């Protein structure tokens, strides 16, 4: 969603979609530090054994903005400039390039596939998004539903 949609995240879900109170409680506990981040959502997902999309939907219904995408795609910086935190990688190792090209469909890769590849290659998630920027690959289907 764009910044124009801020504060109206719940509208992307069907009318009558209910808040999962257990997930909502976990989100509020994590937010005690002031903001809700992608890594906090991942922690909740693992701790509660629920899908990332369930955590994202609950955050949407609570009108909570998710910050600091672990791929560096959104929520970084200060104030209004909370945008991307990645630049195209100056070079992409051959093994990484091959793996990304194998994952890509119609010039795009998914968030979940990048997380899995990062684990498999033992690299930081943002290193893969920087490689995607360099290779011209779009990243789609955020696991939290933010894009």
């Amino acid at each position: 969603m764009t910044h124009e949609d801020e504060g109206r995240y719940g509208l992307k879900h069907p009318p009558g979609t209910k808040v999962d109170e257990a997930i909502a409680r976990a989100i509020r506990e994590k937010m005690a530090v002031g903001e809700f981040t992608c890594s906090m959502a991942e922690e909740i997902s693992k701790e509660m054994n629920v899908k990332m999309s369930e955590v994202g939907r609950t955050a949407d219904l609570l009108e909570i903005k998710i910050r600091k995408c672990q791929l560096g795609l959104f929520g970084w910086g200060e104030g209004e400039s909370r945008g991307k935190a990645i630049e195209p990688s100056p070079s992409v190792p051959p093994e990484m390039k091959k793996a990304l090209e194998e994952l890509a469909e119609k010039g795009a890769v998914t968030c979940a596939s990048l997380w899995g590849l990062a684990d498999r290659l033992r690299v930081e998630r943002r290193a893969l998004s920087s490689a995607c920027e360099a290779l011209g690959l779009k990243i789609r289907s955020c696991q939290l539903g933010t894009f």
Side-chain angles (χ1 to χ4, degrees), residues 12-139:
K12 62 183 169 180
H13 302 285
T17 303
K18 302 285 186 213
V19 170
D20 182 309
E21 289 302 328
I23 295 173
R25 194 170 27 261
I27 289 172
R28 288 184 189 107
E29 287 172 11
K30 295 275 186 201
M31 281 189 66
V33 297
E35 65 182 10
F36 188 59
T37 66
C38 176
S39 63
M40 290 174 178
E42 181 184 17
E43 288 173 18
I44 291 170
S45 173
K46 288 178 179 178
E47 291 166 1
M48 298 184 73
N49 196 30
V50 297
K51 293 179 181 179
M52 291 278 289
S53 60
E54 293 177 55
V55 179
R57 180 176 49 251
T58 302
D60 285 344
L61 295 171
L62 296 172
E63 300 299 343
I64 294 171
K65 188 170 191 162
I66 299 170
R67 306 267 188 208
K68 297 183 181 171
C69 165
Q70 293 182 68
L71 293 174
L73 300 179
F74 62 84
W76 293 88
E78 298 297 324
E80 293 298 315
S81 65
R82 286 188 178 242
K84 284 186 175 184
I86 57 168
E87 295 291 329
S89 178
S91 65
V92 179
E95 177 187 12
M96 185 183 289
K97 181 179 180 187
K98 182 177 188 264
L100 286 168
E101 288 171 344
E102 288 172 359
L103 284 178
E105 291 183 26
K106 298 181 183 177
V109 292
T110 66
C111 171
S113 68
L114 289 180
W115 284 29
L117 182 58
D119 291 345
R120 193 176 93 220
L121 296 179
R122 299 186 196 287
V123 298
E124 290 185 21
R125 293 170 178 166
R126 285 173 48 178
L128 288 176
S129 52
S130 290
C132 287
E133 290 279 313
L135 298 172
L137 296 172
K138 298 289 182 194
I139 302 172

